[in-house]
Amino acid sequence: MYIQTMQPKVDTVFETCDRIWINANLATFDEAIAQPYGALSNQAIGVRAGRIVAIAPMAQFHADAVCADVVDARGGWMTPGLVDAHTHLVFAGSRAKEFEQRLLGASYEEIARSGGGIISTVRATREASVDELVVLSEPRLLALMKEGVTSVEIKSGYGLSLEGELNMLRAARKLGERHPVRVSTSLLAAHALPPEYKDDADGYIDLVCNEIIPAAVAEGLADAVDVFCEGIAFSPAQCERVFQAAQAQGLGIRAHVEQLSNLHGAALAARYGAWSVDHLEWLDEDGVKAIAAADTVATLLPGAFYFLRDTQVPPIELLRRHGVGMAVATDLNPGSSPLASLRLAMNMACTLFRFTPEEALAGASRFGAQALGLAGQAGQLKAGLQADMVLWDIDHPAELAYQFGVNLVRQRIVAGEVRNV
Ligand code: DI6
Ligand code: FE
């Protein structure tokens, strides 16, 4: 018998859904739900035209009142699709030999200063065509997707010339067209000084600002700009010129800062309204206050900390105390973080940086989305947002940061469609 519900509106919305998951526990990360994980138990969640349109307790859901495709989640947990907000996954070549050198005692900076490091990946990447870059990068992207990633950021930064940088971004865009995953791109031309500009870093920054940024924008290749603000890379003054050029073109701003030393790059990026500042091992309290005031996300990259055998832990407690949103990402790259698992990055955020499992999952969903300028569009389970979700075979959401090496995805959902990899 059909029983009139207290909220007939909910039923009405369910009737117009394309698909509904029932008997699901939800980790919504909706700030309006004052529960750990924004959790709601025993829910129905309905999608239409690629968006979430209805979330309601099962008591308000009536099977005879709906005509959509109904999927029984059988008590599994649904979370937002995972967001890997910082990767350099498009590249050619390998740095395995450099790993050996580091294990024999050479530091990351020494290798970079002696012409290895980023520049060795630049040599290999410049030689590859766009299609070759796509083929080489695909396995890394698929590994992330298999574990539940539905949005991924991909940076350039191994071309360091007009064509080299554009080709990397073209490869990133192609990957997004070929696979059911949303790709955000960041132009990281200011990643390292190319050999052609040895002793002329300002001349290279001229090229970045006057040619590479405008060309990337003209071809619709970049969503944001990124810089490496560091002694072995670019000074704060040089990074500021890149931010100004990016701002003039309407690009989002993000920055690698305070990874190996404290040049106060985070505060600088915050002054330009950066979406995210990343790494942050050497960030001090003034820097934390500056990013808190700008609502800039702190993106933590425990994979690089681990792989470089770093000991300087980012100031997590200060970030927490000042209410800074913290994202967790893989930093997938050949030199400092050859890590194609966001789930393992979440675990490392807990074991190495003392994140709680809830913070780790929020960092790989809600705050990852915010770091990509996608707050209010992705990263939460809420009516109106993109229906990018993962249904997991778990009994509690803490399991996603706890276990690693086991794939717990039951269904990976992009724009309301099940797209398992
Ligand atoms: N910091 C990093 O950890 C990566 N880039 C950066 O600015 C490393 C990139 C690489 O070594 O290839
Ligand atoms: Fe990086």
Side-chain angles (χ1 to χ4, degrees):
M1 188 180 82
Y2 182 83
I3 299 165
Q4 186 62 46
T5 129
M6 295 297 286
Q7 279 141 308
K9 269 202 193 123
V10 173
D11 271 346
T12 314
V13 177
F14 278 127
E15 278 169 31
T16 65
C17 286
D18 301 330
R19 187 166 295 111
I20 302 170
W21 281 262
I22 61 169
N23 300 314
N25 296 309
L26 308 181
T28 66
F29 292 101
D30 180 344
E31 60 276 29
I33 296 169
Q35 291 293 327
Y37 301 90
L40 295 172
S41 62
N42 204 23
Q43 302 284 304
I45 177 166
V47 304
R48 184 179 60 235
R51 302 205 163 262
I52 299 169
V53 291
I55 294 177
M58 281 306 292
Q60 289 175 28
F61 171 83
H62 301 281
D64 53 358
V66 297
C67 53
D69 180 3
V70 176
V71 182
D72 190 348
R74 304 188 311 273
W77 279 84
M78 187 85 93
T79 69
L82 301 187
V83 180
D84 192 347
H86 181 141
T87 86
H88 311 241
L89 70 79
V90 169
F91 63 85
S94 159
R95 305 253 288 278
K97 288 214 177 78
E98 197 178 290
F99 181 46
E100 289 180 333
Q101 286 173 356
R102 281 201 299 107
L103 292 171
L104 291 172
S107 75
Y108 180 78
E109 283 155 296
E110 281 160 6
I111 291 168
R113 290 189 194 283
S114 66
I118 292 172
I119 292 300
S120 78
T121 301
V122 171
R123 283 192 288 271
T125 303
R126 282 180 173 179
E127 280 175 19
S129 67
V130 173
D131 286 335
E132 284 165 347
L133 288 175
V134 167
V135 168
L136 289 168
S137 307
E138 229 150 26
R140 299 186 275 266
L141 176 63
L142 291 171
L144 294 175
M145 291 166 61
K146 274 191 188 117
E147 284 195 330
V149 168
T150 56
S151 290
V152 62
E153 185 255 17
I154 302 178
K155 301 176 196 297
S156 65
Y158 295 121
L160 310 187
S161 66
L162 177 63
E163 269 317 287
E165 288 294 298
L166 297 186
N167 279 347
M168 288 188 69
L169 296 177
R170 289 175 185 131
R173 287 280 192 240
K174 270 200 179 183
L175 286 164
E177 286 156 17
R178 284 196 188 174
H179 297 286
V181 64
R182 299 183 203 261
V183 171
S184 291
T185 54
S186 300
L187 174 67
L188 176 57
H191 192 199
L193 192 61
E196 302 79 22
Y197 283 83
K198 190 174 176 309
D199 303 323
D200 186 18
D202 287 318
Y204 179 62
I205 294 295
D206 287 341
L207 175 77
V208 172
C209 295
N210 301 335
E211 295 185 39
I212 303 181
I213 290 175
V217 169
E219 215 177 303
L221 290 174
D223 299 314
V225 84
D226 198 343
V227 298
F228 189 15
C229 185
E230 193 59 66
I232 55 168
F234 296 96
S235 70
Q238 289 160 345
C239 294
E240 183 162 14
R241 290 183 53 209
V242 176
F243 296 158
Q244 286 167 346
Q247 206 169 47
Q249 301 272 356
L251 296 180
I253 287 172
R254 46 188 310 143
H256 290 67
V257 294
E258 278 66 288
Q259 179 183 6
L260 308 169
S261 62
N262 185 2
L263 300 184
H264 309 287
L268 171 68
R271 279 211 299 285
Y272 284 86
W275 286 341
S276 170
V277 288
D278 304 42
H279 283 288
L280 307 176
E281 277 77 354
W282 294 87
L283 184 67
D284 62 20
E285 187 159 12
D286 286 343
V288 173
K289 285 182 183 160
I291 63 177
D295 204 18
T296 295
V297 172
T299 298
L300 287 310
L301 305 168
F305 175 93
Y306 161 83
F307 194 69
L308 297 180
R309 308 185 75 233
D310 205 344
T311 52
Q312 177 75 20
V313 178
I316 304 306
E317 190 45 47
L318 278 178
L319 290 165
R320 240 184 227 133
R321 201 181 311 145
H322 289 277
V324 175
M326 298 188 289
V328 178
T330 60
D331 196 16
L332 172 47
N333 78 70
S336 69
S337 186
L339 168 64
S341 170
L342 185 54
R343 291 269 322 289
L344 180 51
M346 288 163 58
N347 176 268
M348 288 178 175
C350 297
T351 53
L352 302 174
F353 294 168
R354 304 271 168 152
F355 270 50
T356 65
E358 182 187 356
E359 286 172 333
L361 185 52
S365 55
R366 177 179 167 198
F367 293 113
Q370 190 181 328
L372 299 183
L374 299 174
Q377 295 176 59
Q380 293 168 291
L381 300 181
K382 256 196 211 185
L385 271 70
Q386 290 167 1
D388 295 352
M389 319 189 280
V390 180
L391 178 61
W392 306 91
D393 278 319
I394 53 174
D395 294 328
H396 191 278
E399 287 185 54
L400 298 179
Y402 155 72
Q403 289 196 52
F404 51 93
V406 179
N407 195 341
L408 302 169
V409 174
R410 194 193 306 169
Q411 288 187 340
R412 177 182 177 278
I413 300 147
V414 178
E417 301 291 331
V418 178
R419 305 300 298 266
N420 282 0
V421 183

